[in-house]
Amino acid sequence: MENQMDCIFCQIVSGKIPSDVIYQDEEVIAFRDINPQCPVHILVIPREHFTSLIDITSHEASLMGHMISLANQLARDEAISDSGYRLVINCGKQGGQLVPHLHLHLLGGRQLSGQLG
Ligand code: DGP
């Protein structure tokens, strides 16, 4: 899938929209959320445009594994791996997804509620 001109996160990938990037490689980019819900709130996204989680198949198993292992490494780097953290992927309108480019939230640095919805 081609990157999309009107997608905010594709524009972050291309550098057209500035962001606080903390990691990038040929597959993914990680940056701080513009509206942090926790002391640590980082988004991990694929460079390639996938509109949401529903577009992910077994072909993307390696990409998804990479995103999760990167989030774990960032949790260690941000010193929240021992205290605990949460990884979230919102999917679609009722799933709470606002930006239609697949992204993984890394949240931590405070006590999170046990509620999931
Ligand atoms: P979601 O509800 O899962 O689609 O979360 C989208 C997140 O993206 C939300 O926490 C705010 C963040 N966000 C939206 N626009 C920007 C932006 O331009 N820059 C950054 N860094 N984050 C953004």
Side-chain angles (χ1 to χ4, degrees):
M1 215 179 291
E2 291 295 312
N3 281 12
Q4 302 195 346
M5 300 279 284
D6 58 350
C7 170
I8 295 170
F9 285 179
C10 285
Q11 292 181 59
I12 285 177
V13 167
S14 68
K16 284 188 190 128
I17 292 180
S19 64
D20 187 359
V21 175
I22 52 179
Y23 176 87
Q24 55 184 318
D25 63 27
E26 61 283 351
E27 277 194 306
V28 302
I29 175 168
F31 53 95
R32 295 193 193 278
D33 196 289
I34 203 168
N35 183 24
Q37 303 301 306
C38 289
V40 176
H41 189 170
I42 294 168
L43 301 174
V44 178
I45 72 169
R47 286 182 178 276
E48 184 177 355
H49 183 90
F50 295 93
T51 300
S52 80
L53 190 61
I54 197 69
D55 296 326
I56 297 301
T57 70
S58 56
H59 291 107
E60 284 76 45
S62 163
L63 171 65
M64 297 306 292
H66 183 39
M67 289 172 64
I68 291 171
S69 65
L70 172 60
N72 287 339
Q73 183 56 51
L74 294 174
R76 288 186 206 100
D77 295 347
E78 298 282 323
I80 57 170
S81 55
D82 288 343
S83 51
Y85 55 98
R86 182 172 293 170
L87 303 183
V88 174
I89 298 177
N90 296 324
C91 180
K93 190 177 172 198
Q94 288 202 346
Q97 183 181 7
L98 296 175
V99 177
H101 180 128
L102 176 69
H103 50 281
L104 175 66
H105 295 258
L106 166 62
L107 298 154
R110 68 168 170 81
Q111 181 63 53
L112 295 167
S113 107
Q115 294 187 345
L116 290 178

